[in-house]
Amino acid sequence: MPTSQPMLRSLWADSQPPAALLPPLEGACHSDVLIVGGGFTGVAAALALAERGISTRLLEADTIGWGASGRNGGQVIPGLKYDPDQLIERYGQERGERLIDTSSRNADVVFELIQRHAIDCDAQRQGWLQPAATRAGIQRIESRAAQWAARGVEVEWLAREACAERLGTTAYLAGWRDPRAGSLNPLAFVRGLARAASAAGAQLHEGSAVTGLARHAGGWRASTARGEVTAERVLLCTNGYTDTLQPGLARSVIAANSFQIATRPLSAEEGATILPRGEVASDARKLLFYFRRDAAGRLLFGGRGPFHDPRAPSDFRHLISGMTRLYPALKGVEIDYAWGGRVALTQDAMPHVHEPAPGLHVALGYNGRGVGMGTHLGSLIGRHLGTRALADALPLPLTPIAPIPLHGLQRLYVAAVIQYYRTQDWLER
């Protein structure tokens, strides 16, 4: 298949047997906790709650992992968009240190869950490479690596030659390696979490879009097309696919697309020098590329996408161009898969946790770090939801929902930000 005509289908959906469908909600029922959204955060929370013996029901509009949790690049990277020193400057010493500690352990939480529940998801933990193509980019990643090194992380600095050897491309000037990171099949991972949650006693329903949510005596009532749930507490975890269920919530994030392609399995000769040690990579550009190999030897390559969901092979041409700039020997190689998912971007580039009403909580806004942060935050909320310790247990403050001004112009926002970042990347070169 020529590179210009990739299959508009997710690699992850094709790389494992179809999951047995979970039953839709039927009739009326009651649970201590209701979770809306079957991605990393919702399923991790359901697992943690069920393990505590709390009656938990999860409603997913489509299938488990249908959203970005099953369509991302499968890179498990610790940390947040801000570096440790920035977090302390932004949140103060105490809150900043808690955020640093929590986000540092994001990958640990993911891989511990995989091991504890024997989840078969091609999990690898070979580290993350972040290369820079400009002098300004080098300054940023030097500072980042030094800050994590000062906190005990065994970072590795890669000068130009070493960086080229680890990546298999001479396109970058230098880079650093974070050993805490790794990779997985994200759809297999979230499905494995769902099986563990079900085994622990949580009730999970697919094909059960929540059409209404209202206060009810002593709690909340959620309605679907074929049933309803009453619950004392509700957790909304819909991230980039948030709709109008909670007023103002969808307008508090920008749902931008991240697109990916996957080559056919590369031969031993073709792939010998490309990420030979199994790390994942994402570069230091403002409009970054991220890439990795999979178990079959494919190269997976991702980056920004147009505002709309993928509609045609032409939506992925910029990724094919970017891939062949880094790896000219792959020019003309067949692209077997092309897909995308929505990333929830917040104005402050931080995840948000809200409590818009008593007993109603919201967690969303991972800004491209959802595998680690979404899973970890879901686990934390699940362990403490319904206790007085919730606000104290979370590293993030509970904040009011704040719609982004002129959110209806979000297409223009995204276009303007992309153009600004493109210009910054060009100026740095």
Side-chain angles (χ1 to χ4, degrees):
M1 185 178 294
T3 56
S4 60
Q5 295 295 322
M7 181 189 302
L8 297 186
R9 182 168 172 79
S10 163
L11 167 65
W12 310 127
D14 257 16
S15 61
Q16 56 187 313
L21 293 177
L22 298 171
L25 180 70
E26 299 273 2
C29 58
H30 175 83
S31 289
D32 294 335
V33 177
L34 168 65
I35 298 171
V36 181
F40 295 131
T41 304
V43 177
L47 173 58
L49 284 159
E51 288 179 330
R52 292 176 56 220
I54 295 174
S55 169
T56 304
R57 198 170 293 265
L58 182 148
L59 302 180
E60 162 58 41
D62 201 280
T63 56
I64 297 296
W66 176 85
S69 291
R71 298 193 235 167
N72 61 80
Q75 297 197 10
V76 190
I77 301 174
L80 295 162
K81 291 296 185 180
Y82 293 105
D83 295 331
D85 290 354
Q86 293 173 304
L87 290 173
I88 290 174
E89 180 180 354
R90 187 179 184 89
Y91 291 97
Q93 191 71 37
E94 182 179 356
R95 175 77 70 179
E97 291 290 355
R98 291 178 62 195
L99 279 165
I100 293 164
D101 177 67
T102 300
S103 64
S104 179
R105 292 185 288 110
N106 287 345
D108 293 338
V109 169
V110 169
F111 289 106
E112 286 166 4
L113 285 167
I114 290 169
Q115 183 175 28
R116 175 152 52 97
H117 298 287
I119 300 174
D120 183 7
C121 60
D122 189 31
Q124 304 288 329
R125 200 169 189 184
Q126 304 299 332
W128 168 51
L129 304 175
Q130 186 180 36
T134 66
R135 297 295 177 188
I138 290 176
Q139 290 179 345
R140 287 195 297 273
I141 64 172
E142 276 183 328
S143 174
R144 180 168 301 134
Q147 289 175 49
W148 284 116
R151 295 174 180 278
V153 178
E154 295 182 357
V155 307
E156 182 180 1
W157 183 255
L158 303 171
R160 186 167 196 166
E161 195 171 302
C163 188
E165 184 273 326
R166 297 290 270 275
L167 293 167
T169 175
T170 59
Y172 297 101
L173 303 178
W176 74 290
R177 176 179 180 271
D178 186 334
R180 300 169 294 173
S183 63
L184 47 70
N185 177 325
L187 183 57
F189 172 56
V190 72
R191 286 178 176 175
L193 285 180
R195 286 192 295 271
S198 293
Q203 302 294 313
L204 278 62
H205 301 277
E206 295 178 323
S208 301
V210 177
T211 56
L213 181 64
R215 294 294 296 271
H216 177 66
W220 295 83
R221 176 186 286 120
S223 304
T224 72
R226 299 161 70 176
E228 67 176 32
V229 180
T230 55
E232 282 80 19
R233 296 177 294 279
V234 176
L235 175 62
L236 302 182
C237 312
T238 47
N239 207 44
Y241 294 84
T242 297
D243 57 18
T244 58
L245 187 63
Q246 172 60 35
L249 186 60
R251 292 184 286 117
S252 71
V253 296
I254 298 294
N257 273 315
S258 184
F259 281 15
Q260 294 166 77
I261 55 175
T263 68
R264 60 160 170 76
L266 302 178
S267 69
E269 181 180 0
E270 289 171 322
T273 62
I274 300 175
L275 296 167
R277 303 193 194 187
E279 293 107 339
V280 301
S282 56
D283 62 31
R285 291 181 175 92
K286 299 291 193 302
L287 290 178
L288 62 82
F289 290 130
Y290 56 93
F291 42 104
R292 54 168 286 206
R293 304 289 296 280
D294 76 347
R298 295 179 178 85
L299 176 64
L300 282 60
F301 197 87
R304 64 162 181 85
F307 190 83
H308 59 262
D309 290 337
R311 294 191 293 238
S314 59
D315 289 332
F316 298 88
R317 285 176 184 163
H318 64 295
L319 293 183
I320 296 171
S321 174
M323 179 187 73
T324 53
R325 284 202 304 272
L326 295 190
Y327 300 106
L330 295 184
K331 186 173 183 179
V333 72
E334 293 86 355
I335 303 299
D336 279 354
Y337 296 96
W339 71 100
R342 295 182 197 168
V343 177
L345 307 178
T346 57
Q347 270 194 306
D348 59 2
M350 287 290 292
H352 291 172
V353 180
H354 309 299
E355 188 179 10
L360 175 61
H361 287 84
V362 180
L364 81 173
Y366 302 116
N367 298 278
R369 293 288 179 92
V371 182
M373 192 69 231
T375 303
H376 194 177
L377 188 57
S379 295
L380 285 173
I381 293 174
R383 285 201 293 271
H384 298 279
L385 190 65
T387 72
R388 294 181 181 179
L390 177 62
D392 293 333
L394 297 179
L396 292 157
L398 296 175
T399 57
I401 295 173
I404 297 171
L406 302 176
H407 186 271
L409 302 177
Q410 61 176 322
R411 288 176 181 270
L412 297 180
Y413 274 134
V414 173
V417 169
I418 287 174
Q419 185 56 49
Y420 172 75
Y421 283 167
R422 184 181 289 119
T423 301
Q424 290 296 105
D425 287 335
W426 181 83
L427 289 173
E428 288 185 1
R429 287 198 301 271

